[in-house]
Amino acid sequence: MKMKIGIVCYPTFGGSGVLATELGMALSDKGYEVHFITYEQPVRLSQSFHPNIYFHEVKVPTYPLFAFPPYETALASAMVNVIVNNKLDLLHLHYAIPHASAAFFARQILKKSGLDIPFITTLHGTDITLVGKDPTYAPVVTFSINESDAITAVSDNLREETLRSFKIEKEIHVIPNFVDIKRFHQTDKDHFKQMLAPDGERILVHVSNFRAVKRVEDVIHIFNNVKKDIPSKLLMIGDGPERQKVEDLARELGIYQDIRFLGKQEQISEILSISDLFILPSATESFGLSALEAMACSVPVISTNAGGLPEINEQGKTGFLSDVGDIDDMSRHAKYILSDDDRLKHFKKAAITQARRFEKQHIIPLYEKLYCEVVSSCKH
Ligand code: GMT
């Protein structure tokens, strides 16, 4: 009998939620019973049915007194109920805030009735690099990370950054993000390409949650530069706080008609399949899961050299990396890749080769091994 695992994540389009959902689906395919505990059904979970996956919605009742409805309290209570009712063996938390502290709380409650359950915290990025370091959160983040039975980070860079920023008393295991190449690969979507780029224009693409850290305006400036020399179109996928500003910029520059702001999309692999170049100019990126998914669909990447990006994007091979904000350099590299058919083919081939290194069957066993280490009843 395989383990029963509770997964706690943000259910939105963000990379940590996507990764947690992909992990849950992969584990369920291997016979684990997986229980998602979160405030909404995770986005990717709604795309297919998995008989071994259960979804438990965390409800946060409002009350006139609550200026800030206490999600963490509701989450800890939901954890307790789901663990007891389903006899879970393990909790796996994605994104430290507030999941790790809620798990600590739930564990203390369960201990009172003689039940103990280990929890693993996977650090994804801004839970460390931006938000976690903030003195408002830092003591709780440090404490709850240290209370975890095991800690993982999605890149070497994030591991180092965590050790630099917090007093961590345990080993941090690096388990990189992964991609399911059965679902993310280039498929023949020429009819879509024909609709979006009727004159054979190159297609550039950006996928993110349009937060300031993504520097989405840089994407527009890079596209503007590329377009001056190479007929091209830009697909902007996702939504978030910067979207309006970025759409305004595209209008100001007079290139709005060549850009499609498609908003949040579920069939990302179909869009990537018709794309020639992925642009990710982030100020920081612990891993860049969206770039990996692009590479799996044979799309080379123009990115910054921030955070963990150099661990997936290989300079001059799968794309190029530039300093944060160096729009000219990124534009020059984009034109270099796009200006020659054979060169583009070469980069596309290298992108998929690199993505295979991060295929899910190489990575899932690393999590399984860790689960076994923390669950005492686990038999290899
Ligand atoms: O930390 C965040 O910004 C949120 C998080 C998310 O949910 O989108 O993104 C992080 O986790 C992803 C999955 O591990 C990584 O691919 C992203 O690089 C990372 N984002 C940042 O570091 C900005």
Side-chain angles (χ1 to χ4, degrees):
M1 174 73 181
K2 294 252 190 185
M3 273 177 223
K4 296 181 178 187
I5 301 167
I7 294 186
V8 183
C9 64
Y10 283 105
T12 52
F13 282 85
S16 60
V18 166
L19 193 278
T21 313
E22 292 284 348
L23 175 61
M25 294 193 293
L27 290 169
S28 95
D29 289 345
K30 291 187 102 172
Y32 291 85
E33 189 174 300
V34 178
H35 292 257
F36 281 93
I37 309 171
T38 184
Y39 61 82
E40 249 171 35
Q41 186 178 48
V43 175
R44 290 222 177 147
L45 206 54
S46 55
Q47 293 173 3
S48 54
F49 173 64
H50 297 259
N52 283 348
I53 294 188
Y54 299 75
F55 164 54
H56 307 271
E57 188 175 328
V58 180
K59 302 224 169 51
V60 193
T62 53
Y63 184 68
L65 208 59
F66 297 160
F68 307 99
Y71 178 64
E72 195 170 340
T73 307
L75 177 61
S77 298
M79 285 174 179
V80 169
N81 291 333
V82 175
I83 291 165
V84 171
N85 294 335
N86 299 281
K87 301 188 173 49
L88 299 192
D89 298 298
L90 168 76
L91 273 184
H92 188 171
L93 318 158
H94 292 263
Y95 207 89
I97 307 169
H99 303 151
S101 47
F104 172 74
F105 196 1
R107 189 178 194 177
Q108 298 313 303
I109 296 168
L110 291 168
K111 274 186 181 167
K112 286 272 176 203
S113 41
L115 203 75
D116 198 12
I117 179 166
F119 69 93
I120 294 179
T121 303
T122 290
L123 309 172
H124 279 274
T126 50
D127 46 352
I128 296 303
T129 53
L130 298 179
V131 193
K133 270 197 244 178
D134 188 312
T136 322
Y137 299 113
V140 174
V141 172
T142 313
F143 175 80
S144 47
I145 291 178
N146 279 321
E147 284 295 319
S148 311
D149 293 82
I151 311 162
T152 79
V154 298
S155 64
D156 289 329
N157 175 270
L158 184 60
R159 177 181 178 275
E160 281 149 30
E161 184 72 28
T162 309
L163 292 173
R164 257 197 306 275
S165 313
F166 300 93
K167 215 168 168 302
I168 300 297
E169 297 149 1
K170 288 204 169 95
E171 160 135 23
I172 301 179
H173 305 263
V174 174
I175 303 187
N177 287 337
F178 60 87
V179 62
D180 181 353
I181 292 196
K182 276 211 186 92
R183 291 198 354 268
F184 280 84
H185 60 265
Q186 195 173 25
T187 48
D188 182 8
K189 294 286 168 199
D190 269 2
H191 53 293
F192 285 163
K193 192 159 191 157
Q194 187 62 32
M195 281 164 68
L196 293 165
D199 297 318
E201 294 93 336
R202 299 290 196 207
I203 297 185
L204 289 77
V205 66
H206 171 78
V207 181
S208 80
N209 41 21
F210 285 53
R211 284 174 301 157
V213 69
K214 302 289 173 180
R215 297 184 61 99
V216 192
E217 283 182 62
D218 290 3
V219 179
I220 304 296
H221 287 298
I222 294 165
F223 175 65
N224 189 32
N225 289 341
V226 169
K227 221 185 90 50
K228 285 177 187 153
D229 292 338
I230 299 173
S232 39
K233 302 281 182 187
L234 172 64
L235 305 178
M236 297 291 279
I237 316 300
D239 209 332
E242 298 291 298
R243 177 167 170 180
Q244 189 59 51
K245 202 161 82 183
V246 169
E247 287 205 32
D248 291 346
L249 175 66
R251 278 191 205 92
E252 270 166 40
L253 293 171
I255 54 173
Y256 191 79
Q257 69 289 349
D258 291 312
I259 306 177
R260 297 239 187 161
F261 287 89
L262 295 171
K264 291 178 185 170
Q265 294 285 329
E266 292 195 356
Q267 301 309 326
I268 301 281
S269 72
E270 295 193 4
I271 297 166
L272 293 171
S273 281
I274 59 164
S275 302
D276 297 302
L277 195 61
F278 189 84
I279 312 288
L280 192 63
S282 307
T284 177
E285 202 68 66
S286 70
F287 184 89
L289 182 59
S290 57
L292 176 61
E293 291 184 339
M295 286 186 205
C297 295
S298 302
V299 186
V301 173
I302 293 293
S303 74
T304 54
N305 49 21
L309 285 168
E311 293 172 47
I312 57 165
N313 191 12
E314 274 188 82
Q315 185 74 304
K317 219 170 158 193
T318 60
F320 286 97
L321 303 96
S322 308
D323 290 341
V324 175
D326 196 341
I327 289 166
D328 288 344
D329 202 46
M330 288 187 261
S331 309
R332 192 169 56 77
H333 286 142
K335 286 191 232 176
Y336 175 76
I337 294 178
L338 294 174
S339 57
D340 183 279
D341 282 343
D342 285 340
R343 192 181 296 140
L344 178 58
K345 260 191 213 146
H346 213 72
F347 273 88
K348 280 179 176 264
K349 218 168 146 215
I352 170 69
T353 305
Q354 171 73 334
R356 287 204 184 99
R357 285 184 46 220
F358 297 90
E359 253 192 277
K360 72 171 181 180
Q361 63 263 34
H362 305 313
I363 310 297
I364 303 297
L366 305 179
Y367 279 116
E368 289 180 280
K369 185 168 172 284
L370 198 60
Y371 293 166
C372 251
E373 279 167 23
V374 302
V375 173
S376 49
S377 59
C378 171
K379 290 185 192 68
H380 283 278

